[in-house]
Amino acid sequence: MRSAPGGTCNDFLNVPARADAASETLAQSAPCLIARLRISTNIRGGHNYPSLIRRTPRKPLKVFLQSGERDADIIFGSWPRANRAMAAALEFAGYDVRFEFGQGGHNLRHGGALFAEALRWLWG
């Protein structure tokens, strides 16, 4: 773990997208960590997080979400729809959240184009 630049948190953490619901659990239980949250579909119970976020006290988190209209739509659920539900739950609960929804699929083109701006926003 590295110190978060210019923030009040002591730790910075980037959890890989494949960590699924684990990254959301980590962010809920360790509010001084910045985690890369990715999916909230029914993979390892991730679909429960929007409801959980709406019902629990707000944590001191700043959340940047990115998704696209051609993201995965699989047997476990629709990632674009799940990411919209997650963004709505975070906004409902009063989190400082920014959700960028593009036209692409599950690739780095949109996320990579937003990366510098996301970092500026997170630490701004």
Side-chain angles (χ1 to χ4, degrees):
M1 289 187 223
R2 301 180 319 230
S3 295
T8 58
C9 289
N10 295 323
D11 299 308
F12 171 86
L13 180 64
N14 183 12
V15 179
R18 298 282 182 233
D20 301 333
S23 61
E24 287 144 2
T25 300
L26 177 64
Q28 285 291 313
S29 61
C32 203
L33 297 175
I34 300 168
R36 180 175 176 222
L37 309 180
R38 180 59 182 95
I39 64 170
S40 53
T41 57
N42 188 16
I43 297 176
R44 298 186 187 126
H47 65 293
N48 295 312
Y49 283 96
S51 176
L52 179 66
I53 288 168
R54 287 174 178 267
R55 293 178 288 139
T56 58
R58 186 176 57 84
K59 310 283 191 294
L61 295 172
K62 191 171 189 178
V63 182
F64 185 95
L65 298 172
Q66 177 269 326
S67 187
E69 63 186 30
R70 290 193 302 256
D71 208 337
D73 191 357
I74 57 176
I75 192 169
F76 298 109
S78 166
W79 286 18
R81 191 173 296 160
N83 286 322
R84 286 180 181 189
M86 178 67 77
L90 289 162
E91 288 175 4
F92 175 86
Y95 282 90
D96 190 2
V97 62
R98 181 169 165 188
F99 180 48
E100 294 287 340
F101 194 81
Q103 297 177 353
H106 189 75
N107 58 54
L108 294 176
R109 182 172 285 158
H110 188 222
L114 295 170
F115 185 69
E117 174 58 25
L119 291 178
R120 281 190 290 274
W121 180 80
L122 283 168
W123 285 300

